[in-house]
Amino acid sequence: MIRNCRLPVAALLGLVLAATGLWASPASEEAPAAAMEKEMVLDPTTGEMISAPEYGGTITSLFHPGWQTEHADMWHFRSVIHPTKIVLERMGGGDWGLPRDEFAFAGAIPNLPQYTGKLAESWEQPDATTIVLNIRKGVKWHDKEPVNGRELVADDVVFNFNRNLGLGEFAADGPSPVISVLGTLPVESITATDSHTVVFTLQQPMLAALYHIVGDIYGNQYPPEVIRQDGDAKDWNKLIGTGPFMFTERVADVSFTYTKHPDYWGFDEKFPDNRLPYVDEFRALIMPDESTRLAALRSGQLDVLGGPAAFALSPGPATEGLTRTNPELKQFSYQNRSQNSAAFNLKAPPFDDVRVRRAMQMALDLETVAATYFKGYADPTPRGVVGIANTGYAFPVAEWSDEIRGYYNYDPKGAERLLDDAGYPRGADGVRLKTVFNAHPSPAATDQGFVAIMLQFWDAIGVDVELEVVDGAAFGPMIQGADYEGIIWFITGWNRPLPVTTIGWQATGAYNNATGHSVEEYDAMIAAVGSATTVEEERQLILEADRYLVENHLYLWGPIMPQVAVTQPWMVGYNGENNLGDVDSYAIFARLWIDHATKESMGH
């Protein structure tokens, strides 16, 4: 397909010259960078000149400590997606070659219109209940026992989807207990019609099915030989995939190391002659302490912080300090969701009463907090569960009624009236009720300084809230079962590619139903979304669900704070991107390279 990049004539001329070899071409894998003069090429996605691609070296970044699972099998533990997603691959993902003014891959997660084929070279939907995947030929598993670098075939794909969905030979086992949205699809059967064609047959039409089959994290492929041999894929030493990097070593509380897959099928979408990955090694360090991470950046020990990796910074003291002490570091800002929000537990008093939930919101002066504590960087404008990047799906604040908008404005007297009406008068000690705010232990998740400010606002209306920092391993189960007292840190206003996911979390028994919400009316709304037959019908139903969630105030809204990624000056090819798909970020590292001359000139 020929894409109109809308580049200026000079830029197009540069592309032609580069393609014909009349202008500087990317360094070959064999040519040592030090022996070549510095070359410049045009980045076709931005129209900017950059240092030419080079091979070799190591990129060092970060993993979150909570990703250190004891085993590598996603069927059993969802969080293992993070340290395995640089090894495993799915059917499709974001097209890195898209012009960034068309889609920036920064904050918002791409949808099918921004996708290109990965393990599936292409896909089609000949009718409402049939989806066909055309598996890419020539994809090789990593050259390790017991697969020994053989070709990926359709039977492998059928095996993995059947295992995760509890179909075919895995019907007796049932689906993965943590499979989330993919497990809700009405899949009747999955068959391989030849060595490179897989056909999904649905029990009934579902518009979202194609996206989830192509892009869901549970489409990641493990080698069947390992699972048939061991009964599972838990053994880290047998973590084998088709991805750009091969798992090499895991040192608990220290690091994960991956080495280049020398027979990787993929080529750079920007520079199609260049086989990926560029670097020989990717290393992810475990650094729970922010001061340690910042010191590692300043010393050159870390190449990338945030963005496609863990621990993006919030604008403020940390980023300002880096600007002062290390102006050579490159900073990229992006916005995806509110990480300063929370969920109310609706299963028990006091938050089973919407008046109490609204009072807790009205007690917060978010405008002032955004201007002072967040130093003007944060946006306090309230939003629904669906991010505003999902135009037409989100219920924008401009369309809220005056009454609903009032519940999201600072009004402590109004908050006290609501608590009186709800049957929570002040006691002799001035306290109306006591509850708990459950915080995630990572500062990259819960901003405990902001929570401390909220506690003071709530104290002013007679609500005594205790801060409880939850152990990281216990946090996920508390959310998934709404098994906690009071309030829990949560995310909202999320720019996900299919907002049906986030509005589906509030259905009875749904994964990530952090509020414990269970209302027949809402369950019927979500069922209607799943059975929609047109995009317009689905869009309108999602918008109505978002309206319902706003008006019933299931979540406490907190300001959206931009996130900042930081890279060393020798990192090339990066423009602030943080996701190539749903929970698909580390594949970006296969597409970045090191300007070795710059790195060496800086003493590294």
Side-chain angles (χ1 to χ4, degrees):
M1 179 178 68
I2 298 174
R3 178 177 292 112
N4 179 9
C5 295
R6 301 188 299 280
L7 293 174
V9 173
L12 290 173
L13 177 60
L15 284 174
V16 172
L17 291 172
T20 58
L22 299 178
W23 198 19
S25 60
S28 68
E29 291 192 53
E30 293 78 16
M36 304 180 67
E37 294 182 7
K38 188 162 185 175
E39 303 172 352
M40 303 296 288
V41 295
L42 181 79
D43 183 336
T45 66
T46 64
E48 297 179 358
M49 298 299 294
I50 58 174
S51 176
E54 300 179 40
Y55 286 91
T58 298
I59 292 178
T60 302
S61 191
L62 296 164
F63 278 169
H64 193 284
W67 299 346
Q68 297 188 91
T69 58
E70 288 301 314
H71 61 74
D73 194 344
M74 282 180 57
W75 195 95
H76 296 276
F77 192 44
R78 185 179 174 89
S79 291
V80 80
I81 176 59
H82 298 287
T84 62
K85 64 190 176 187
I86 201 168
V87 173
L88 309 176
E89 292 185 297
R90 60 193 82 169
M91 300 299 107
D95 183 355
W96 186 249
L98 282 177
R100 294 305 184 258
D101 60 355
E102 184 176 322
F103 195 84
F105 297 100
I109 300 171
N111 203 338
L112 281 175
Q114 295 88 38
Y115 266 30
T116 188
K118 302 296 184 185
L119 295 185
E121 191 168 27
S122 62
W123 45 82
E124 54 198 279
Q125 194 161 6
D127 58 61
T129 58
T130 305
I131 293 170
V132 180
L133 303 179
N134 301 306
I135 305 305
R136 186 180 300 275
K137 295 179 180 179
V139 174
K140 300 293 184 63
W141 292 100
H142 298 159
D143 192 7
K144 296 182 177 182
E145 294 284 352
V147 288
N148 300 312
R150 70 167 176 82
E151 184 179 14
L152 173 85
V153 294
D155 284 338
D156 299 330
V157 176
V158 172
F159 176 93
N160 276 276
F161 275 104
N162 274 343
R163 179 179 184 239
N164 285 328
L165 291 169
L167 298 174
E169 63 183 287
F170 299 99
D173 299 327
S176 162
V178 292
I179 195 171
S180 189
V181 180
L182 185 65
T184 68
L185 302 188
V187 178
E188 181 176 294
S189 65
I190 310 168
T191 57
T193 57
D194 61 39
S195 64
H196 287 82
T197 307
V198 176
V199 177
F200 285 74
T201 302
L202 306 180
Q203 298 168 358
Q204 62 194 51
M206 186 175 183
L207 286 174
L210 178 59
Y211 168 79
H212 287 295
I213 288 170
V214 169
D216 192 280
I217 62 174
Y218 280 88
N220 281 357
Q221 302 293 297
Y222 288 89
E225 289 94 323
V226 171
I227 295 169
R228 288 197 168 111
Q229 178 177 287
D230 296 354
D232 54 47
K234 291 183 178 181
D235 189 342
W236 278 103
N237 293 318
K238 295 182 181 179
L239 174 60
I240 300 169
T242 60
F245 291 96
M246 303 184 295
F247 174 77
T248 304
E249 183 183 41
R250 170 181 175 267
V251 181
D253 299 318
V254 178
S255 65
F256 286 74
T257 302
Y258 307 82
T259 53
K260 177 177 186 171
H261 178 189
D263 203 15
Y264 183 54
W265 63 268
F267 289 79
D268 190 341
E269 297 91 336
K270 294 183 183 182
F271 305 102
D273 291 335
N274 292 0
R275 185 181 290 274
L276 298 174
Y278 287 108
V279 295
D280 294 330
E281 183 179 75
F282 175 77
R283 196 159 177 259
L285 304 179
I286 309 298
M287 290 184 172
D289 179 66
E290 182 173 277
S291 62
T292 304
R293 296 192 293 270
L294 294 177
L297 260 180
R298 290 188 169 99
S299 67
Q301 184 183 359
L302 278 180
D303 295 305
V304 181
L305 181 149
F311 295 113
L313 297 174
S314 294
T319 56
E320 293 164 2
L322 288 175
T323 300
R324 287 193 305 270
T325 61
N326 295 78
E328 76 281 2
L329 293 173
K330 296 184 283 188
Q331 298 188 21
F332 304 87
S333 179
Y334 55 93
Q335 187 184 100
N336 183 19
R337 61 195 182 187
S338 170
Q339 296 207 167
N340 294 306
S341 294
F344 296 105
N345 192 327
L346 276 58
K347 297 196 299 185
F351 299 120
D352 57 344
D353 190 323
V354 68
R355 293 171 294 185
V356 179
R357 302 196 294 270
R358 288 169 171 169
M360 297 294 281
Q361 186 76 62
M362 294 167 70
L364 303 178
D365 185 357
L366 297 183
E367 296 274 352
T368 298
V369 173
T372 54
Y373 178 76
F374 290 116
K375 296 188 175 182
Y377 290 111
D379 180 2
T381 308
R383 302 177 189 179
V385 168
V386 180
I388 59 174
N390 298 110
T391 306
Y393 293 84
F395 181 38
V397 67
E399 297 180 12
W400 297 6
S401 67
D402 291 341
E403 177 190 355
I404 296 301
R405 195 179 294 112
Y407 295 134
Y408 288 81
N409 290 336
Y410 179 52
D411 182 3
K413 291 183 179 179
E416 296 218 47
R417 286 194 296 270
L418 284 176
L419 291 172
D420 287 337
D421 293 344
Y424 294 97
R426 286 184 181 268
D429 59 357
V431 175
R432 297 174 178 274
L433 62 91
K434 294 184 178 182
T435 189
V436 175
F437 188 102
N438 298 276
H440 193 283
S442 169
T446 303
D447 185 331
Q448 292 186 31
F450 173 56
V451 175
I453 293 172
M454 290 196 291
L455 265 54
Q456 294 178 45
F457 279 119
W458 289 327
D459 183 68
I461 63 168
V463 179
D464 184 355
V465 183
E466 177 185 358
L467 173 61
E468 179 74 29
V469 179
V470 180
D471 178 74
F475 197 86
M478 288 173 65
I479 282 181
Q480 291 157 25
D483 185 18
Y484 60 91
E485 178 186 353
I487 310 170
I488 195 165
W489 170 84
F490 202 65
I491 52 178
T492 191
W494 200 350
N495 293 315
R496 292 182 63 91
L498 273 185
V500 66
T501 302
T502 42
I503 57 109
W505 285 345
Q506 299 78 26
T508 301
Y511 177 88
N512 266 359
N513 188 349
T515 65
H517 181 253
S518 181
V519 175
E520 288 186 8
E521 172 194 356
Y522 191 79
D523 290 349
M525 294 172 71
I526 298 305
V529 173
S531 59
T533 58
T534 68
V535 172
E536 176 56 30
E537 180 187 6
E538 181 188 57
R539 184 197 64 77
Q540 185 61 39
L541 289 167
I542 290 173
L543 189 150
E544 289 304 315
D546 198 36
R547 179 195 301 270
Y548 172 97
L549 297 173
V550 167
E551 293 179 346
N552 286 277
H553 221 121
L554 270 65
Y555 300 100
L556 181 83
W557 171 256
I560 284 187
M561 189 70 167
Q563 295 179 292
V564 178
V566 186
T567 71
Q568 296 290 350
W570 54 77
M571 289 304 307
V572 191
Y574 183 71
N575 298 288
E577 300 90 351
N578 69 329
N579 254 310
L580 276 180
D582 190 16
V583 199
D584 188 15
S585 57
Y586 282 82
I588 290 173
F589 286 111
R591 293 158 170 80
L592 308 182
W593 62 90
I594 297 169
D595 179 344
H596 295 285
T598 295
K599 184 173 182 179
E600 185 177 351
S601 71
M602 297 181 68
H604 298 284

